Amino acid sequence: GATLRHPRMLSAQLLALQPHALRPALTPTRRGSSFWSEPWTEPLLFQSAWRMTLDIQSGGARLAVPLEITFSDEPVASGDFRWTVEEPTCCPARRLLASAGAFVGPKGEVSVEARPGGWLAEPPDRCGRSALRFYIDFPDGAQRNGAALPPGRAFFRAACWDGAQLRQFEAEAAAVRAELDALGAAAEASASLGLSAERAEAAVPSERRQLLEYQLEIIERSMPDERGVLPGPGDLQMAAGGELSIKTDGVANMWGLISSNFDTIGGFTFAPIRPAGAEVS
């Protein structure tokens, strides 16, 4: 019969598949107070400009506000960017430039003032994914038929990838899916033959399936969502969209003294308008 391994052996193998263990063996680089691996996507964003459209929907109403942003390499004081306790100390914040937005309301075109904010790209995870976070100040907010962007600071979360690593792990995910499909077909064949549990385990080890499923779960956490990616400067791959949130501090969290609460009120989409290195007007 088949020899079943001790559960502790499986636990050790699963632990070895944790994201930090699966990070590619690359040269560590000092970033602030932490060590992180290259390649680093952040410099590829410097001076690149993007068109983004805010999309807020409420009760059938929709507010869509297009504007343009530029990922400046100008540093921003930490006090201007410490808007969440999750901010990593490794990543220096930089200035985000923003143009005024506009939309068509019941009485014609409405301008939406936007003031410069800040941005940072977190260190890449094991699949080359960097969380991209930024904020923009909208002093007057905007409203259209009940869909509203409240006055104040709006927070945005997206992601970008090193293209080579993204392609590498997309191929790895495809290979894992193919092996899982093959194991599934083998399991069906074993069941149709009426094999005993021991012989079926020998033909299709459940431990191997668990390891593959866990590996695929880890990879897919870092993959782009259904919106896909947009090509950026260098081999940067930018998420085609992301989430839009606002702070909702109050009595429960002592108005942000304990921690900050964020509510997602909509999303946004990206479109490139100028590559990095182009002259900024």
Side-chain angles (χ1 to χ4, degrees):
T3 301
L4 299 179
R5 297 183 182 180
H6 194 277
R8 288 183 180 177
M9 296 179 65
L10 177 58
S11 298
Q13 287 177 288
L14 290 174
L15 181 61
L17 286 175
Q18 292 291 333
H20 67 272
L22 285 173
R23 184 187 295 276
L26 300 168
T27 304
T29 299
R30 185 74 174 178
R31 304 289 297 191
S33 61
S34 303
F35 284 94
W36 299 98
S37 296
E38 298 289 357
W40 188 261
T41 56
E42 185 183 56
L44 294 176
L45 281 168
F46 291 170
Q47 303 305 332
S48 67
W50 299 77
R51 180 175 293 107
M52 63 180 295
T53 300
L54 283 54
D55 190 353
I56 301 172
Q57 301 184 41
S58 177
R62 182 186 182 194
L63 172 66
V65 181
L67 64 155
E68 297 179 4
I69 61 172
T70 299
F71 293 98
S72 163
D73 58 356
E74 174 192 351
V76 174
S78 61
D80 191 28
F81 198 75
R82 296 183 65 180
W83 48 269
T84 166
V85 294
E86 297 177 353
E87 179 188 355
T89 59
C90 67
C91 314
R94 303 183 186 278
R95 179 71 62 191
L96 183 85
L97 306 179
S99 71
F103 66 93
V104 178
K107 299 182 179 180
E109 185 173 278
V110 179
S111 179
V112 180
E113 182 182 358
R115 295 178 180 172
W119 72 278
L120 64 78
E122 294 182 4
D125 67 11
R126 58 97 45 179
C127 294
R129 179 187 186 275
S130 293
L132 176 63
R133 296 188 284 141
F134 57 99
Y135 68 81
I136 302 172
D137 289 327
F138 297 95
D140 301 319
Q143 183 170 334
R144 183 179 185 274
N145 297 334
L149 171 66
R153 181 161 292 181
F155 301 88
F156 303 87
R157 179 182 291 270
C160 52
W161 290 259
D162 170 73
Q165 285 193 298
L166 178 58
R167 290 187 291 274
Q168 171 190 340
F169 286 102
E170 285 176 336
E172 181 178 321
V176 172
R177 292 188 192 98
E179 185 172 351
L180 283 171
D181 288 344
L183 289 175
E188 291 181 4
S190 297
S192 66
L193 293 174
L195 298 181
S196 65
E198 291 79 7
R199 294 182 65 185
E201 173 66 23
V204 188
S206 60
E207 177 185 319
R208 177 61 180 168
R209 289 198 305 272
Q210 291 178 50
L211 288 170
L212 289 171
E213 288 169 353
Y214 190 72
Q215 183 178 5
L216 184 60
E217 179 185 349
I218 291 174
I219 296 174
E220 288 182 337
R221 288 180 199 160
S222 298
M223 292 291 99
D225 62 19
E226 65 279 358
R227 290 172 290 197
V229 294
L230 300 169
D235 198 16
L236 178 80
Q237 302 295 305
M238 178 76 89
E243 295 182 348
L244 161 58
S245 302
I246 58 171
K247 273 187 180 180
T248 55
D249 294 334
V251 176
N253 68 336
M254 297 182 65
W255 289 274
L257 292 178
I258 300 176
S259 63
S260 292
N261 294 330
F262 294 88
D263 282 351
T264 299
I265 63 169
F268 66 94
T269 56
F270 269 137
I273 56 176
R274 185 178 64 246
E279 182 179 353
V280 181
S281 57

